Amino acid sequence: MDRKKLLLLGTIISLIGLWFALDLGQYFTLEQAKAQQIALQDTIAAKPFLSSLIYFVIYVVVTALSLPGAAIMTLLGAALFGFWWSLLLVSFASTIGATLAFLFSRYILRDWVQNKFGNRLEPINAGIAKDGPFYLFTLRLIPIFPFFIVNLVMGLTPISTRMFYLVSQVGMLAGTMVYINAGTQLGEIESLNGIISAPVLISLALLGLFPLIAKMVMNIINQRRVYGDWQRPEHFDQNMVVIGAGAGGLVSSYIAAAVKAKVTLIERHKMGGDCLNTGCVPSKAIIRAAHTMAEISRAQDFGITTEKPQVNFGQVMARIHKVIEKIEPHDSVERYTKLGVNCIEGDAKILSPWEVEVNGERITTRNIVIATGARPLVPNIPGLETVNYLTSDSIWSLKEQPERLLVLGGGPIGCELAQSFSRLGSKVTLVEMAEQLLIREDNDASELVRNGLEKDSVDIKLGHKAVRFESTIAEDGRQVQRVYLHRNNFDQNTDNEVVVEFDAVMLALGRVANVQGFGLEELGITTTERGTVDVNEYLQTKYPNIYAVGDVAGPFQLTHAAAHQAWYAAVNGLFGHFKKFKADYSVLPAATYTSPEVARVGINEKEAQMQGIDFEVVTYGIDDLDRAITDGEDHGFIKVITPKGKDKILGATVVGSNAGELLAEFTLAMRHGLGLNKILGTVHPYPTMSEAAKYTAGVWKQANAPQALLAWVEQYHRWMRKENNKHAGNKAPSETVLNENRDI
């Protein structure tokens, strides 16, 4: 910070310190004003302009320095100057003072704050740039936060000074009028009887009701601002229309039907969405087949001799499709029709905030839920179109097992499928740009997964990027497919180039939200930098009656996250006039089904460090667990993050066999505010894997044992072991402890 800023900051701090040191606030109370009211009124009558100027300047200074007393000064000004003149003085003085505070904050702190916390402030900066004036107007009209906080915080944002002044001038006017009206009445109170007079009671009631009235006014203004270009239907065919029958859409429509709302569910392809048809279900089915192969391969570890197992890839894929068919009835049109959902197959088109068209039919609805999901990301890599590439959508149509499979992407999908195909006999190469698999997990968890994949013969190339593909025809007529990888920060030097030949490449580089082709662009519904639909904490889009859930909304691409969001969207849409609920992601578990599995809820060690939390780590090695040893699964660990000295669970990571199942106890505990002491006090059957949770709690208890108290308890037991208490001279245990402590 330069000298000018330091000088200004020092001056401001000195003035504020002087205010409190001289106790100047005692002169800015209603009692003091009442005591001096006659003298002040005589002074004002004698010198009205000078008195007004002094009052104006003091008000500006108090507001600019964010000193307490602005509200009292408003009431006082009304009592002394009358309604209209005080309104003029206060309106401009408060806005000028607020703008000065805004400029102080901007000049002294903004550059430092933006440089230090720029990444975290990006969403706020984007929001202010997009809708800053209206947002500020809302804060001014509805005093959610004290005005001095608004002044200082706004100085750290990109909003212009001119816009800040104009919006503040207009936004604070209504509240100023209410306060001044109350002040004019309070100024007329001469006795206790005056307190219960009708004008005073009305003024006090307005003070209390103003925030509610302002909120209603803002809702009306926002409705007109958002829906101004659209004609609202006179009546509605449906209470809710849901677009997309994946997890989010199914749960939204199920809840709506359960509470007897009229709901239509539109799906253009297959009920169940990605999870059933191309995601969770088929991937877990192939993982199960691969796990069986791995179990047979290690049969000798348990004293069992087997013939060399053979993989019939066609039968493996056939079983996957049978599993899908067996689960399909859970998500079928027939089931949801019986539940009361009107299911339609076709392409939906949102025509207006209340109209959806499908198959030439126009449906009017009070609410719309967008649950259109996402699709695999296909990168723009030169030559990719010339090779046999697969995604998590298309890989399930394979008829023959690739002899050499290349997997791009070391996230959950890439790791799961790379390990599965390797266990089933493919030669797998896994390429990840980062220096770690499962980049969001702690290093120790990622390292165990890497060891597991390498144990299953997966060739892992970290810190590599695919820069181009090539397909040629060999002399024998075979198609030869290659990928060229660059490493060492993607250096273009060919000496660092790695060439890998493959028969098929699996793209597992993330997913792209489906936001095009059904009317969002025409409605002006915006998307985020990640390409997902822009929603607020209630999952509402630009239009409060249009919601988005699941992969299309983010931030989590998990089936259970979509179902979780669906509850909020359905309840807020159907009953939001009475009560709206903010989507809560604080206790959201996730699992990666590699071997070993990685499961997590809450924050991990990496995130705790990034957030600057004062935390401690409790780790229990599953290799110590009896049941894990008997099952030959004695590997992995449980790691719990807690605040220093407290048993509250901030997050838990489990790495090992059936980690997803072991995580459930920690998820339940976090959801209901139960700490490690409660887990420790719960009886677990022996021998089970679930005992690992109890032993983890035991590790925490041991590390946080009250050592001072235990030292006294140890002395007590030592005293109790005396053969004859007479040797202790009939001293009380406490005296003996004190004497013995002197010798220690």
Side-chain angles (χ1 to χ4, degrees), residues 161-338:
T161 304
R162 181 173 178 273
M163 184 60 67
F164 177 86
Y165 179 89
L166 292 175
V167 173
S168 297
Q169 184 76 60
V170 175
M172 291 192 291
L173 185 60
T176 301
M177 293 178 69
V178 171
Y179 266 82
I180 287 176
N181 178 66
T184 58
Q185 301 305 317
L186 292 174
E188 296 176 3
I189 296 175
E190 301 292 344
S191 65
L192 292 176
N193 291 333
I195 297 177
I196 58 174
S197 65
V200 173
L201 291 177
I202 292 172
S203 298
L204 293 175
L206 283 174
L207 281 175
L209 292 174
F210 176 70
L212 298 176
I213 296 171
K215 188 173 182 179
M216 292 174 58
V217 170
M218 288 305 303
N219 286 337
I220 294 172
I221 293 173
N222 191 43
Q223 291 271 344
R224 291 185 176 179
R225 186 175 71 101
V226 171
Y227 294 107
D229 297 333
W230 305 99
Q231 182 64 43
R232 182 185 176 95
E234 294 183 1
H235 62 86
F236 300 97
D237 304 320
Q238 303 286 303
N239 297 100
M240 181 170 285
V241 168
V242 181
I243 302 174
L250 290 172
V251 173
S252 295
S253 57
Y254 175 88
I255 292 173
V259 296
K260 305 305 179 183
K262 201 169 182 182
V263 56
T264 290
L265 174 63
I266 303 172
E267 171 56 52
R268 68 177 181 179
H269 188 41
K270 293 182 178 180
M271 294 283 285
D274 295 331
C275 180
L276 171 63
N277 299 289
T278 61
C280 313
V281 172
S283 67
K284 300 315 165 280
I286 198 169
I287 287 172
R288 182 64 181 87
H291 176 73
T292 299
M293 188 65 180
E295 284 288 281
I296 296 172
S297 300
R298 60 185 289 221
Q300 287 187 345
D301 294 347
F302 300 92
I304 299 172
T305 302
T306 62
E307 298 291 334
K308 184 177 180 180
Q310 299 293 323
V311 174
N312 187 322
F313 189 75
Q315 290 185 10
V316 170
M317 298 302 287
R319 179 185 177 274
I320 290 173
H321 291 288
K322 286 180 181 178
V323 170
I324 295 173
E325 292 173 4
K326 191 170 184 178
I327 296 177
E328 271 180 339
H330 301 169
D331 300 338
S332 64
V333 170
E334 292 76 17
R335 182 187 179 217
Y336 275 79
T337 300
K338 289 180 180 178

Side-chain angles (χ1 to χ4, degrees), residues 602-623:
I603 62 174
N604 57 17
E605 190 173 358
K606 182 187 297 185
E607 292 169 342
Q609 291 171 346
M610 291 177 60
Q611 295 177 24
I613 296 173
D614 188 16
F615 68 97
E616 58 182 300
V617 179
V618 180
T619 304
Y620 171 74
I622 297 177
D623 58 337

Side-chain angles (χ1 to χ4, degrees), residues 538-598:
Y538 301 105
L539 299 174
Q540 295 169 307
T541 64
K542 170 184 175 181
Y543 301 94
N545 72 310
I546 300 181
Y547 298 80
V549 300
D551 289 0
V552 74
F556 307 99
Q557 293 185 333
L558 301 166
T559 297
H560 50 279
H564 180 68
Q565 290 178 321
W567 182 91
Y568 290 96
V571 172
N572 288 340
L574 297 171
F575 303 105
H577 288 94
F578 304 104
K579 171 70 175 176
K580 292 200 298 288
F581 297 89
K582 297 179 181 179
D584 179 11
Y585 305 116
S586 59
V587 186
L588 188 67
T592 300
Y593 299 95
T594 48
S595 180
E597 290 184 8
V598 179

Side-chain angles (χ1 to χ4, degrees), residues 19-65:
W19 171 278
F20 288 103
L22 299 178
D23 194 20
L24 298 179
Q26 64 177 311
Y27 301 107
F28 292 83
T29 63
L30 198 58
E31 293 79 5
Q32 181 70 17
K34 291 292 294 180
Q36 302 296 327
Q37 183 176 0
I38 296 177
L40 290 172
Q41 287 176 338
D42 290 342
T43 301
I44 292 169
K47 299 179 179 179
F49 178 78
L50 180 61
S51 300
S52 299
L53 180 61
I54 293 172
Y55 174 84
F56 186 89
V57 171
I58 293 175
Y59 201 112
V60 169
V61 172
V62 168
T63 309
L65 296 178

Side-chain angles (χ1 to χ4, degrees), residues 60 142 246 410 440 658:
V60 169
I142 308 174
R440 294 183 180 179
N658 294 306

